Amino acid sequence: MQIRIYFILLLGFAILSCDEDSKVEKEIAKVDVDFTIERFDKAFYEATLKDLPNLKSAYPFFFSKHEPDSIVIHRMNDSLQHEILQEVDAAFKDFDNTREDLVSMFQHLKYYDKVFSTPRIITLTNNVQYRDKVIITDSIVLVALDNYLGEDHRFYVDGNIPAYLAKNFKKEQIVVDLADGYAKKYAFQSTRKALLEEMIYFGKLLYFKDVMIPFKTDAEKIGYTENQIQWAEANESQIWSYFIEKELLYSTDPKLPNRFIADAPFTKFYLELDNESPGRLGQYIGWQIVKAYAENSGDGIMKIMQTEPEEIFRKSKFKPKK
């Protein structure tokens, strides 16, 4: 009888929690955001010499004052640039779905940060410099569309970009990358030397996505396939046991971030299961710790982003899924 009452109470709390979440999301949906997506890539692709003064006036940050017009004209006529711009133009005929994602993300940002101001959104190309897919400032967001043409695009295959990176080079990940960029602007920690501190830092970034882009799946938020997120969930207890048994949490060994945090095709436990695992499992576990802290503390997202990792870990009372 007691067990039955316990499960009934748990179910009741879950229903109440869902109702509260639903109320918040309804309030967020009322938040007004206004922006246009400015296609600099398209404007540059279609521009002629006589359009150059207008382009410089509208987008002065893309043109150096010390660069002669002859260099810009050469770039406008460059065959490689035309090829990149043609591929982008073909892939991004419209921005309807991406715009819907951006509207929702900005609504969430404005709801949780009352002083947030919606920026200009400008698209461009950057010769597939995938480390700089998005750039975020207080007033401008830049999105390099040639990094979102689909994982099998010849630019990535011929460019020998690793498959574990290219799998996230798709338009559905634009809002995920932007949310990650904003998360980094809000996140603070006084130190990131120990592995646990790194884990919780990236856990904060992922939890920020939980709050700001709840319409994305967990797999999309962390950049895993569905099989990879399922593997991480199924092996959560084993991963945690490994960290504890090897006494890695408070280690400042500089090799550990490369093994457990950095982008990689798999996580380096140096065990037989390595090839089965996705990379960045340290980030995944940090995410679960921050989630547990949020549930136990009741703190809002902005406070969580500023909370020190030791406090998050201690108050999270984290226990991995069995």
Side-chain angles (χ1 to χ4, degrees):
M1 178 65 75
Q2 287 182 330
I3 292 175
R4 184 179 177 188
I5 291 171
Y6 174 75
F7 279 112
I8 290 172
L9 286 172
L10 276 181
L11 181 61
F13 284 130
I15 291 171
L16 283 173
S17 177
C18 287
D19 285 345
E20 283 300 313
D21 289 345
S22 178
K23 286 178 184 176
V24 169
E25 287 301 317
K26 286 178 180 176
E27 287 300 309
I28 290 171
K30 298 176 185 176
V31 175
D32 183 50
V33 295
D34 183 32
F35 65 93
T36 58
I37 296 174
E38 301 176 45
R39 295 291 304 272
F40 174 77
D41 56 294
K42 195 174 180 67
F44 191 80
Y45 176 49
E46 296 172 350
T48 62
L49 180 57
K50 65 181 177 62
D51 298 316
L52 192 52
N54 289 335
L55 275 180
K56 285 187 171 185
S57 176
Y59 305 100
F61 35 81
F62 288 147
F63 301 93
S64 170
K65 292 179 180 178
H66 307 293
E67 184 179 60
D69 284 354
S70 59
I71 299 294
V72 180
I73 293 165
H74 175 76
R75 195 159 65 241
M76 292 170 71
N77 295 321
D78 181 71
S79 58
L80 177 59
Q81 290 300 313
H82 267 259
E83 185 179 4
I84 292 171
L85 289 163
Q86 282 174 342
E87 292 297 303
V88 167
D89 191 50
F92 290 91
K93 289 296 184 185
D94 68 66
F95 256 81
D96 292 347
N97 291 335
T98 303
R99 182 180 170 78
E100 286 178 19
D101 287 350
L102 295 178
V103 166
S104 184
M105 182 186 70
F106 287 138
Q107 286 175 322
H108 283 78
L109 279 164
K110 289 187 78 170
Y111 179 85
Y112 289 104
D113 177 5
K114 303 306 180 187
V115 299
F116 178 80
S117 180
T118 311
R120 290 175 69 182
I121 311 294
I122 304 172
T123 64
L124 69 154
T125 61
N126 71 348
N127 297 316
V128 195
Q129 298 296 314
Y130 60 86
R131 299 295 182 189
D132 298 308
K133 291 190 283 186
V134 299
I135 295 174
I136 294 171
T137 72
D138 290 341
S139 58
I140 294 173
V141 164
L142 305 179
V143 182
L145 297 182
D146 48 333
N147 297 285
Y148 297 100
L149 299 175
E151 63 179 303
D152 297 322
H153 195 279
R154 58 188 170 84
F155 286 171
Y156 315 142
V157 176
D158 296 346
N160 294 316
I161 293 174
Y164 69 87
L165 294 175
K167 68 182 171 65
N168 287 309
F169 292 6
K170 51 190 177 182
K171 63 178 68 176
E172 292 81 5
Q173 291 298 110
I174 290 176
V175 75
V176 177
D177 289 339
L178 288 174
D180 187 74
Y182 276 110
K184 289 172 181 172
K185 289 175 69 68
Y186 286 101
F188 170 80
Q189 287 182 191
S190 59
T191 180
R192 285 172 55 190
K193 293 180 181 178
L195 178 62
L196 179 64
E197 292 166 348
E198 280 286 273
M199 289 165 60
I200 289 178
Y201 172 79
F202 284 95
K204 286 180 180 181
L205 305 188
L206 288 160
Y207 183 70
F208 186 88
K209 296 177 194 177
D210 285 335
V211 176
M212 301 302 173
I213 51 170
F215 48 89
K216 287 295 183 179
T217 66
D218 283 355
E220 288 171 320
K221 291 170 196 167
I222 195 170
Y224 282 175
T225 64
E226 284 299 328
N227 285 339
Q228 287 176 325
I229 196 76
Q230 289 169 15
W231 192 98
E233 291 168 351
N235 290 276
E236 192 174 300
S237 183
Q238 286 179 273
I239 299 165
W240 183 246
S241 294
Y242 180 89
F243 289 146
I244 299 300
E245 289 168 9
K246 299 294 183 180
E247 300 181 346
L248 298 181
L249 294 183
Y250 293 96
S251 173
T252 57
D253 182 345
K255 295 178 183 177
L256 293 179
N258 283 332
R259 291 175 59 191
F260 301 109
I261 301 294
D263 279 323
F266 53 83
T267 298
K268 301 177 183 70
F269 296 101
Y270 303 140
L271 299 171
E272 288 185 9
L273 58 74
D274 281 12
N275 288 334
E276 301 172 12
S277 70
R280 297 178 286 116
L281 283 170
Q283 293 191 27
Y284 172 82
I285 294 295
W287 188 11
Q288 309 317 305
I289 293 170
V290 176
K291 280 184 182 180
Y293 172 81
E295 290 171 7
N296 288 327
S297 69
D299 287 351
I301 181 61
M302 295 305 170
K303 184 176 180 182
I304 290 172
M305 298 301 285
Q306 298 287 309
T307 302
E308 294 290 357
E310 183 57 37
E311 182 177 351
I312 286 178
F313 181 53
R314 181 167 44 83
K315 292 184 178 179
S316 72
K317 300 177 183 177
F318 173 68
K319 293 181 179 178
K321 296 170 187 171
K322 297 293 184 182

